[in-house]
Amino acid sequence: MSDQEEPEKPEKPRAGSDGTADAKDQKKDPKGAKNAKGAKGSGDAKQGETTADDTAQGGGGDDAEERDQPQTAWAARRDLIDHSPRSMHVGDRSRFGGGLVGHDQHGVSGGRVTGDVIMGSKTEIHYAIPGLSAPASASGEVPRIVLERLAETFVADEEYMAGLLERLRSDRVLVLSGARFTGRHTAALMLLHRLGADPVRTLVRDTSPASLADGFGAEDQARGYLVSDLATGRDRPLCEPHLLAAKDRLVERDAYLVITVGPNAVLEDVPKVEWLPPSAAEVLGAHLRTRTDDETAAKLLDLPDVVEFLTRDHQLREVAAYAAQLGRYAAGEIAADAIAKFSLISLENQVREWFEEDESAIHLRDKAFLVALAAFDGGPYALTAELSDLLYRFLQETENPTRVPEVPVFGTHIGKRLQLARATRYEEDEHTEWGPVAQHKARFLDERASLVLLRELWTGHPSARPALINWLRRLADDGRPLVRTRAASTVAILARTDLPSAMALVIEVWATSKLFRHRLVAVNSLTLAHLIDTPNIPRILDDWCEGDDERRRWVGVRSYGLIGSERPEQALAALRKAVRRLYDNDQDLDLEIGRELAEAVGLLLLSSAEERVLGELRQHLDDDRAVRDLTLAGFVNACERTEGDERYGMPLVLDWYARAVATGSASAYGIPYLWRAALADLRTTRPALDVLRAWVLIADRATATEWALAALLPALVATPEDHQRLSHLLRTMSGEDGKPPPQVAARLLTTLPIR
């Protein structure tokens, strides 16, 4: 097989694997497309042509290409809904899209992410302990006035603090362990201050553990010592003998030492105490009461923006800075807008710190994990970790192309990794082709973090783009629908941030690929980009639907089926143009595009714009042969879909009709109108009867379906031919697996009026 050829007889794939369709969705030829001698599929490349990604993306060779088949639009839409990140459909999961059909939403439009989150701001917040301008790693005496100011706003569990004080008083040395920015540094200072160990001197974090005792000079007048974030490692662990030596010197001087360490500190036989930080609300309240009176502080704490801020799980340093802003707001120095935006600005500053920190603070592998978590926020942790290591390899190659990328087999513990990322682990079912499966998942505590992080990576660190693009292309080739969908959602965020670059470097490469799975990721990228208010996406789709490139046309048509419910008249107009062009150029007839057009119409019929779409289809039904074929094929396609995609679920269009009759909407007349047209047209008679037969079999199992079908069938009889066609179906149809006709068929036969 040549690189340009598509296989004629691909093996039948599983649903959701390699971008392929359900077997039941593949067995039928495209409806509504004219058969033409020599018709070619949209996946065929022109002779002698290849696209850049055909070689760059590593599609897996001939075997991968043989498995590559277009997944049906309905199945692809299901994967998109199941696996898209929470940031793409804020709120109730069921509202990821359009019209209420059978108590679920079936379009792909609706949820919005605020532009401020995507576009961000240039404001920075600088965090510092009041009166202490030197960094924590510097050595020097802490002024007493600083300690007194800290004491005014310090809050903690007093019983817990009493236990720490007693331990420090008896042992002379205390190792306090905790995550960064949880107040452990301030707590250490307060322990020394409450013991009266003044003055307090801080020692550099790079002090060797073996030379701790040497830090207490003979001429030194300090009685309290603090080492914040003591630097340890495998080659320089903090050991028990180091603390014993330090204790001897401290006893001689009647002094005390507190050492703070992070979760990754290397300790050997060293007892440590975990720091229990106070709540953000307690810290904010304490800071406000030092800046304002109690009544004003209470009013500030009740502000909606403040309440929302406290639900975001902000670090205590951010809480302290927020208190300063609220104090300025109470004094009339700043507007309410600054209070509302502070939470997002704090998050942006955190993300900048993650990427700007040097390797001694955050390792490149941890940065790769942060990016992967942004892409797979709310996804299985093991999958996120696996793919973060793949990105880590690409980043290493970018840093040093001559070095062989290395990934440690055993790395940071999951708890420490998630603590750094300000994320949490939880258990939840994940949608798979075999049904829900329980998974251990990970997500950022702040749902905005993934959007901010990916934006900062794409715009603030362009040198990382080659590695990120290679990673995304590998994800697009993955056999797991979740992975491919998250590749698309990641690119959607990049497009919202920088549309020209995302289009040129990623989306257009996928859109012109000869592999359907790549084009499907392009479809999802454009769909999700539109969902988060990326401008000009409909314009791109219009150009592609009307253009000469068959592959882009395929992407444009399928995308319109997903987002067209927001502008159904324009979407249907674009689809009509595409089908007319298809029919006008008969010798270059593309059967795959014909199927895509019909499926796009079917999706629009089951979207939030169902009434408007149905009205448009009725209005243009008799425009010309091409449009009629498209309309009827799309209608029959929609009629095939059932509630929950279950074999015996309530047919969605039938349920729509039952509701329309109950409410007296125009659909009560529009649905039978198209049904009669589909049954009478020779091109769609057989597939329409097949759908009705399936509905009868469902009615044999579900009373609600039987009642709805009994109401619809009389409306489908307008001529003697209509009666003959339907009565013949009900009298002669067999049951499942060749069984006798279902009894419901005889009951439904009695509902047909004589014409």
Side-chain angles (χ1 to χ4, degrees):
M1 181 184 299
S2 69
D3 289 340
Q4 286 77 35
E5 294 175 344
E6 298 266 311
E8 295 182 0
K9 296 182 179 180
E11 60 186 76
K12 185 175 293 185
R14 291 197 308 264
S17 176
D18 292 319
T20 55
D22 296 301
K24 67 180 181 180
D25 289 324
Q26 294 185 48
K27 64 184 179 181
K28 300 173 184 175
D29 290 330
K31 307 181 188 76
K34 294 191 297 183
N35 294 320
K37 185 177 181 180
K40 57 186 180 181
S42 65
D44 295 333
K46 295 180 180 179
Q47 279 293 336
E49 281 189 8
T50 58
T51 55
D53 64 320
D54 293 341
T55 56
Q57 298 198 61
D62 289 344
D63 289 342
E65 292 184 22
E66 288 178 1
R67 293 194 302 270
D68 186 70
Q69 285 291 301
Q71 189 179 20
T72 64
W74 187 259
R77 169 205 158 277
R78 179 184 58 219
D79 283 344
L80 185 62
I81 292 176
D82 286 344
H83 302 306
S84 60
R86 55 181 172 157
S87 59
M88 298 298 182
H89 44 101
V90 178
D92 184 2
R93 181 177 182 82
S94 68
R95 298 199 65 79
F96 184 69
L100 187 63
V101 182
H103 309 294
D104 195 7
Q105 302 291 339
H106 294 278
V108 184
S109 60
R112 286 288 181 263
V113 180
T114 60
D116 286 343
V117 174
I118 296 291
M119 302 313 295
S121 66
K122 300 298 182 181
T123 306
E124 293 190 21
I125 302 171
H126 301 281
Y127 310 105
I129 298 175
L132 186 61
S133 58
S137 60
S139 177
E141 185 175 311
V142 181
R144 183 174 183 81
I145 189 173
V146 171
L147 296 176
E148 292 174 351
R149 288 177 181 173
L150 289 176
E152 291 177 356
T153 57
F154 180 75
V155 290
D157 184 286
E158 288 303 319
E159 184 177 348
Y160 178 68
M161 284 293 290
L164 295 181
L165 283 169
E166 184 60 31
R167 183 164 181 171
L168 178 59
R169 184 179 290 110
S170 61
D171 295 348
R172 297 283 175 168
V173 180
L174 179 69
V175 179
L176 194 61
S177 176
R180 300 175 72 193
F181 312 123
T182 57
R184 56 187 175 151
H185 176 82
T186 303
L189 289 173
M190 289 298 95
L191 286 170
L192 294 170
H193 181 59
R194 291 185 180 187
L195 277 179
D198 300 325
V200 175
R201 177 174 292 277
T202 61
L203 304 180
V204 294
R205 66 181 302 270
D206 292 332
T207 299
S208 170
S211 62
L212 268 177
D214 299 334
F216 318 131
E219 303 299 325
D220 192 353
Q221 300 300 313
R223 292 189 59 240
Y225 294 90
L226 169 63
V227 184
S228 289
D229 291 332
L230 177 67
T232 62
R234 295 179 181 178
D235 57 338
R236 49 180 288 170
L238 177 63
C239 305
E240 184 181 26
H242 302 152
L243 296 188
L244 294 176
K247 180 177 180 180
D248 290 341
R249 296 291 297 274
L250 292 167
V251 171
E252 294 174 3
R253 299 176 52 78
D254 189 24
Y256 302 89
L257 168 67
V258 180
I259 302 171
T260 65
V261 295
N264 298 328
V266 181
L267 310 177
E268 292 185 3
D269 299 322
V270 172
K272 64 178 181 179
V273 179
E274 294 291 336
W275 167 239
L276 300 179
S279 70
E282 291 174 327
V283 173
L284 183 60
H287 277 266
L288 287 178
R289 283 187 288 273
T290 65
R291 296 176 180 274
T292 64
D293 57 76
D294 290 348
E295 182 180 355
T296 302
K299 290 180 179 179
L300 291 173
L301 289 171
D302 286 337
L303 291 175
D305 288 331
V306 176
V307 173
E308 182 183 359
F309 176 89
L310 292 174
T311 65
R312 295 287 187 181
D313 202 68
H314 280 284
Q315 295 170 342
L316 296 187
R317 60 171 183 160
E318 297 165 350
V319 174
Y322 192 45
Q325 288 289 87
L326 286 171
R328 295 180 61 197
Y329 170 72
E333 297 176 8
I334 59 175
D337 185 57
I339 299 302
K341 292 182 177 180
F342 189 91
S343 176
L344 178 58
I345 294 171
S346 299
L347 177 60
E348 293 169 345
N349 277 270
Q350 171 66 90
V351 170
R352 292 190 188 106
E353 284 185 4
W354 280 336
F355 288 122
E356 292 172 0
E357 295 268 13
D358 58 28
E359 287 291 298
S360 64
I362 300 181
H363 192 272
L364 182 63
R365 190 184 186 198
D366 292 322
K367 293 179 182 179
F369 176 75
L370 287 167
V371 176
L373 183 59
F376 290 89
D377 184 39
Y381 171 81
L383 176 65
T384 303
E386 168 202 335
L387 295 175
S388 76
D389 283 342
L390 175 62
L391 176 58
Y392 177 44
R393 292 191 186 97
F394 288 135
L395 290 171
Q396 289 182 87
E397 291 174 353
T398 298
E399 283 193 337
N400 187 353
T402 63
R403 183 179 66 188
V404 177
E406 297 179 356
V407 177
V409 176
F410 300 103
T412 308
H413 183 268
I414 177 176
K416 297 175 181 178
R417 212 172 203 185
L418 295 178
Q419 192 175 59
L420 167 67
R422 298 172 70 170
T424 185
R425 180 174 56 167
Y426 62 102
E427 185 171 312
E428 186 180 67
D429 284 346
E430 179 66 31
H431 293 276
T432 72
E433 58 190 290
W434 308 282
V437 176
Q439 294 278 310
H440 290 285
K441 298 185 174 185
R443 68 184 177 199
F444 288 108
L445 293 171
D446 192 327
E447 74 276 5
R448 305 168 300 176
S450 60
L451 305 176
V452 174
L453 190 148
L454 292 172
R455 183 203 69 216
E456 173 66 19
L457 176 67
W458 190 245
T459 60
H461 302 274
S463 58
R465 285 188 177 187
L468 182 62
I469 291 170
N470 286 336
W471 185 63
L472 290 169
R473 289 178 177 176
R474 285 286 291 273
L475 299 187
D477 264 318
D478 199 283
R480 293 164 287 194
L482 168 61
V483 176
R484 297 193 303 271
T485 301
R486 291 309 180 89
S489 64
T490 300
V491 173
I493 296 171
L494 305 185
R496 179 67 175 86
T497 303
D498 180 4
L499 181 61
S501 295
M503 288 293 295
L505 297 176
V506 188
I507 297 176
E508 288 184 330
V509 177
W510 283 336
T512 55
S513 171
K514 65 182 176 181
L515 297 179
F516 287 113
R517 61 176 173 271
H518 294 164
R519 278 181 264 163
L520 182 56
V521 180
V523 169
N524 291 344
S525 298
L526 292 168
T527 298
L528 294 174
H530 181 72
L531 184 66
I532 57 176
D533 292 324
T534 302
N536 301 320
I537 298 300
R539 180 175 179 179
I540 292 171
L541 300 184
D542 284 342
D543 291 343
W544 286 8
C545 285
E546 299 174 17
D548 295 328
D549 189 293
E550 295 176 1
R551 297 172 181 178
R552 289 185 180 182
R553 198 184 316 151
W554 188 94
V555 172
V557 168
R558 176 160 287 201
S559 300
Y560 254 136
L562 295 170
I563 72 169
S565 59
E566 293 186 1
R567 50 201 301 266
E569 291 82 10
Q570 294 91 332
L572 288 170
L575 296 180
R576 288 194 295 269
K577 287 182 181 179
V579 78
R580 287 181 180 124
R581 175 171 182 154
L582 189 67
Y583 277 52
D584 290 342
N585 193 8
D586 187 71
Q587 291 185 347
D588 195 31
L589 184 63
D590 189 335
L591 296 180
E592 193 57 52
I593 290 294
R595 178 190 293 118
E596 288 302 322
L597 287 164
E599 293 190 354
V601 171
L603 286 178
L604 290 174
L605 270 168
L606 298 175
S607 73
S608 58
E610 53 187 18
E611 296 281 353
R612 292 165 63 187
V613 172
L614 185 61
E616 275 282 301
L617 294 181
R618 288 190 62 184
Q619 180 180 345
H620 293 277
L621 177 62
D622 296 319
D623 282 4
D624 50 57
R625 183 74 253 179
V627 171
R628 184 179 181 84
D629 284 350
L630 172 64
T631 300
L632 297 182
F635 177 73
V636 173
N637 183 279
C639 291
E640 293 176 346
R641 306 306 168 190
T642 60
E643 179 70 30
D645 297 330
E646 296 293 335
R647 182 177 182 182
Y648 297 107
M650 167 67 88
L652 298 178
V653 172
L654 183 58
D655 182 63
W656 175 13
Y657 174 75
R659 289 183 288 106
V661 170
T663 60
S665 73
S667 297
Y669 305 96
I671 291 174
Y673 180 86
L674 290 185
W675 256 119
R676 292 193 297 270
L679 288 167
D681 194 295
L682 293 179
R683 297 175 187 253
T684 52
T685 299
R686 176 43 53 194
L689 288 173
D690 289 342
V691 171
L692 278 180
R693 179 181 181 276
W695 285 11
V696 173
L697 294 177
I698 296 172
D700 193 43
R701 294 169 174 258
T703 303
T705 303
E706 178 181 351
W707 280 102
L709 190 54
L712 173 65
L713 286 175
L716 303 188
V717 179
T719 66
E721 290 77 11
D722 294 335
H723 184 278
Q724 181 181 8
R725 189 180 299 113
L726 294 176
S727 64
H728 182 268
L729 171 68
L730 295 172
R731 285 184 287 102
T732 62
M733 67 172 288
S734 60
E736 303 236 30
D737 298 326
K739 294 179 180 178
Q743 294 183 359
V744 70
R747 295 196 297 271
L748 291 172
L749 183 61
T750 64
T751 67
L752 298 181
I754 302 298
R755 294 288 182 181

